[in-house]
Amino acid sequence: MKTVRAAKTIRYLYTVHALIGIALSGWFLYRGDERRFWLALLALLCLAVPRVMAGVFRVDLPPALEGLAVVFLMLTGYLGEVGAFYERIPAWDNLLHLTSGIMFCAFGCGLLGRGVGEREECPSRARRLFGVSFALAAGVIWEFIEYTCDKTFGTTMQKPTVRPGLYDTGLIDTME
Protein backbone atom coordinates (compact mmCIF):
# COMPACT_ATOMS: atom_id res chain seq x y z
CA MET A 1 0.00 0.00 0.00
CA LYS A 2 1.30 3.44 -0.88
CA THR A 3 2.16 5.80 1.91
CA VAL A 4 0.31 9.09 2.13
CA ARG A 5 3.45 11.06 1.25
CA ALA A 6 4.19 8.89 -1.78
CA ALA A 7 0.59 9.14 -2.96
CA LYS A 8 0.76 12.95 -2.74
CA THR A 9 4.01 12.99 -4.70
CA ILE A 10 2.50 10.79 -7.41
CA ARG A 11 -0.60 13.02 -7.61
CA TYR A 12 1.70 16.04 -7.85
CA LEU A 13 3.62 14.46 -10.75
CA TYR A 14 0.40 13.60 -12.58
CA THR A 15 -0.88 17.14 -12.03
CA VAL A 16 2.33 18.74 -13.31
CA HIS A 17 2.30 16.43 -16.34
CA ALA A 18 -1.34 17.30 -17.08
CA LEU A 19 -0.81 21.05 -16.67
CA ILE A 20 2.22 21.01 -18.97
CA GLY A 21 0.26 19.02 -21.56
CA ILE A 22 -2.74 21.32 -21.42
CA ALA A 23 -0.59 24.45 -21.57
CA LEU A 24 1.53 23.19 -24.46
CA SER A 25 -1.48 21.92 -26.41
CA GLY A 26 -3.20 25.29 -26.00
CA TRP A 27 -0.06 27.23 -26.91
CA PHE A 28 0.61 25.23 -30.07
CA LEU A 29 -3.05 25.36 -31.07
CA TYR A 30 -2.97 29.16 -30.61
CA ARG A 31 0.23 29.43 -32.70
CA GLY A 32 -1.17 27.17 -35.42
CA ASP A 33 1.62 24.60 -35.00
CA GLU A 34 -0.49 21.55 -35.76
CA ARG A 35 2.35 19.01 -35.54
CA ARG A 36 3.44 20.09 -32.07
CA PHE A 37 -0.17 20.46 -30.94
CA TRP A 38 -0.81 16.79 -31.70
CA LEU A 39 2.50 15.73 -30.11
CA ALA A 40 1.65 17.63 -26.92
CA LEU A 41 -1.85 16.21 -26.89
CA LEU A 42 -0.52 12.68 -27.42
CA ALA A 43 1.98 13.18 -24.58
CA LEU A 44 -0.91 14.32 -22.39
CA LEU A 45 -2.96 11.25 -23.29
CA CYS A 46 0.01 9.00 -22.47
CA LEU A 47 -0.43 10.14 -18.88
CA ALA A 48 -2.94 7.32 -18.48
CA VAL A 49 -0.45 4.60 -19.48
CA PRO A 50 0.96 3.72 -16.02
CA ARG A 51 -2.49 3.40 -14.44
CA VAL A 52 -3.93 1.52 -17.42
CA MET A 53 -1.04 -0.97 -17.43
CA ALA A 54 -1.42 -1.48 -13.68
CA GLY A 55 -5.15 -2.11 -14.16
CA VAL A 56 -4.74 -4.45 -17.13
CA PHE A 57 -2.13 -6.56 -15.36
CA ARG A 58 -3.82 -6.14 -11.93
CA VAL A 59 -0.62 -4.89 -10.32
CA ASP A 60 -0.20 -2.28 -7.61
CA LEU A 61 2.68 -0.19 -8.92
CA PRO A 62 5.29 0.75 -6.33
CA PRO A 63 5.29 4.55 -5.92
CA ALA A 64 8.89 4.87 -7.14
CA LEU A 65 8.10 2.95 -10.35
CA GLU A 66 4.89 4.87 -11.01
CA GLY A 67 6.66 8.18 -10.38
CA LEU A 68 9.52 7.19 -12.67
CA ALA A 69 7.01 6.24 -15.39
CA VAL A 70 5.31 9.66 -15.20
CA VAL A 71 8.65 11.49 -15.29
CA PHE A 72 9.75 9.27 -18.19
CA LEU A 73 6.60 10.19 -20.12
CA MET A 74 7.34 13.88 -19.55
CA LEU A 75 10.93 13.45 -20.73
CA THR A 76 9.95 11.56 -23.88
CA GLY A 77 6.81 13.46 -24.83
CA TYR A 78 7.40 17.04 -23.81
CA LEU A 79 11.17 17.36 -23.94
CA GLY A 80 12.02 14.62 -26.45
CA GLU A 81 9.37 15.13 -29.11
CA VAL A 82 7.84 18.58 -28.51
CA GLY A 83 11.09 20.18 -27.33
CA ALA A 84 13.14 18.35 -30.01
CA PHE A 85 15.67 17.03 -27.45
CA TYR A 86 16.12 13.95 -29.64
CA GLU A 87 17.70 16.20 -32.26
CA ARG A 88 19.44 18.61 -29.86
CA ILE A 89 21.03 16.15 -27.42
CA PRO A 90 22.72 13.16 -29.10
CA ALA A 91 22.55 10.88 -26.04
CA TRP A 92 18.89 11.66 -25.25
CA ASP A 93 17.47 8.62 -27.05
CA ASN A 94 20.02 6.27 -25.45
CA LEU A 95 19.27 7.65 -21.98
CA LEU A 96 15.54 7.11 -22.44
CA HIS A 97 16.03 3.60 -23.84
CA LEU A 98 18.07 2.75 -20.75
CA THR A 99 15.43 4.23 -18.44
CA SER A 100 12.54 2.43 -20.15
CA GLY A 101 14.46 -0.86 -20.04
CA ILE A 102 14.94 -0.50 -16.29
CA MET A 103 11.27 0.38 -15.79
CA PHE A 104 9.97 -2.54 -17.85
CA CYS A 105 12.40 -4.92 -16.16
CA ALA A 106 11.13 -3.81 -12.74
CA PHE A 107 7.53 -4.11 -13.92
CA GLY A 108 8.20 -7.62 -15.27
CA CYS A 109 9.86 -8.69 -12.01
CA GLY A 110 6.76 -7.50 -10.17
CA LEU A 111 4.46 -9.37 -12.52
CA LEU A 112 6.13 -12.72 -11.96
CA GLY A 113 6.21 -12.30 -8.20
CA ARG A 114 2.49 -11.50 -8.24
CA GLY A 115 1.46 -14.81 -9.83
CA VAL A 116 3.01 -17.00 -7.14
CA GLY A 117 0.89 -18.17 -4.20
CA GLU A 118 1.53 -16.93 -0.66
CA ARG A 119 3.24 -20.13 0.40
CA GLU A 120 5.62 -20.31 -2.51
CA GLU A 121 8.46 -17.88 -2.98
CA CYS A 122 9.43 -17.21 -6.58
CA PRO A 123 13.20 -17.58 -7.01
CA SER A 124 14.82 -14.20 -7.52
CA ARG A 125 16.79 -15.57 -10.47
CA ALA A 126 13.54 -16.46 -12.26
CA ARG A 127 12.09 -13.04 -11.51
CA ARG A 128 15.19 -11.30 -12.88
CA LEU A 129 15.17 -13.45 -16.03
CA PHE A 130 11.48 -12.77 -16.57
CA GLY A 131 12.03 -9.05 -15.92
CA VAL A 132 14.77 -8.83 -18.56
CA SER A 133 12.69 -10.89 -21.01
CA PHE A 134 9.67 -8.66 -20.40
CA ALA A 135 11.78 -5.53 -21.00
CA LEU A 136 13.18 -6.95 -24.25
CA ALA A 137 9.70 -7.91 -25.48
CA ALA A 138 8.37 -4.44 -24.61
CA GLY A 139 11.28 -2.90 -26.54
CA VAL A 140 10.50 -4.96 -29.64
CA ILE A 141 6.80 -4.07 -29.44
CA TRP A 142 7.75 -0.39 -29.09
CA GLU A 143 9.93 -0.56 -32.22
CA PHE A 144 6.93 -1.93 -34.13
CA ILE A 145 4.82 0.96 -32.81
CA GLU A 146 7.45 3.50 -33.90
CA TYR A 147 7.71 1.93 -37.35
CA THR A 148 3.92 1.84 -37.76
CA CYS A 149 3.61 5.51 -36.76
CA ASP A 150 6.43 6.50 -39.11
CA LYS A 151 4.87 4.68 -42.07
CA THR A 152 1.26 5.61 -41.29
CA PHE A 153 1.49 9.20 -39.99
CA GLY A 154 4.77 10.32 -41.57
CA THR A 155 6.49 10.83 -38.22
CA THR A 156 10.20 10.23 -37.64
CA MET A 157 10.07 8.34 -34.37
CA GLN A 158 12.85 6.00 -35.49
CA LYS A 159 15.09 8.96 -36.33
CA PRO A 160 16.74 7.80 -39.54
CA THR A 161 20.24 9.06 -40.21
CA VAL A 162 20.45 11.56 -43.04
CA ARG A 163 23.88 11.92 -44.63
CA PRO A 164 24.76 14.47 -47.32
CA GLY A 165 23.10 13.22 -50.47
CA LEU A 166 22.07 9.90 -48.90
CA TYR A 167 18.99 9.01 -46.88
CA ASP A 168 19.53 6.04 -44.53
CA THR A 169 16.83 3.46 -45.25
CA GLY A 170 18.38 0.85 -42.97
CA LEU A 171 15.63 1.20 -40.39
CA ILE A 172 12.90 0.72 -42.95
CA ASP A 173 14.63 -2.29 -44.51
CA THR A 174 15.19 -3.86 -41.10
CA MET A 175 11.62 -3.36 -39.92
CA GLU A 176 10.09 -4.58 -43.16
Side-chain angles (χ1 to χ4, degrees):
M1 172 100 39
K2 297 175 187 170
T3 65
V4 174
R5 185 174 179 194
K8 285 183 181 180
T9 302
I10 299 299
R11 271 196 308 274
Y12 174 76
L13 285 172
Y14 275 104
T15 302
V16 168
H17 188 299
L19 290 174
I20 291 171
I22 291 167
L24 285 174
S25 296
W27 174 251
F28 291 127
L29 184 63
Y30 171 76
R31 291 191 58 202
D33 190 341
E34 188 175 335
R35 179 184 169 277
R36 285 193 167 159
F37 164 75
W38 287 110
L39 286 173
L41 192 61
L42 181 62
L44 178 61
L45 294 175
C46 285
L47 183 60
V49 170
R51 295 277 169 103
V52 168
M53 281 187 67
V56 166
F57 291 104
R58 290 178 291 225
V59 172
D60 188 27
L61 292 176
L65 183 58
E66 187 173 2
L68 180 61
V70 174
V71 170
F72 175 80
L73 290 170
M74 284 191 256
L75 294 175
T76 58
Y78 299 136
L79 295 180
E81 289 294 337
V82 176
F85 273 38
Y86 287 113
E87 288 82 19
R88 295 180 188 176
I89 302 171
W92 190 256
D93 192 44
N94 292 338
L95 173 70
L96 293 179
H97 274 90
L98 174 66
T99 306
S100 68
I102 292 168
M103 282 189 320
F104 279 117
C105 185
F107 188 78
C109 287
L111 278 178
L112 187 62
R114 192 188 163 288
V116 176
E118 290 180 25
R119 295 182 187 188
E120 294 181 41
E121 181 64 31
C122 182
S124 63
R125 185 179 208 170
R127 287 181 23 178
R128 287 192 306 263
L129 179 61
F130 184 79
V132 169
S133 299
F134 187 86
L136 290 171
V140 169
I141 291 168
W142 179 249
E143 292 302 323
F144 283 125
I145 292 169
E146 283 184 342
Y147 175 76
T148 303
C149 287
D150 287 353
K151 292 297 276 185
T152 306
F153 303 115
T155 60
T156 57
M157 293 177 73
Q158 291 190 309
K159 307 295 184 257
T161 305
V162 179
R163 297 182 190 109
L166 178 67
Y167 182 77
D168 182 13
T169 60
L171 292 172
I172 295 169
D173 292 345
T174 302
M175 292 303 292
E176 286 178 349

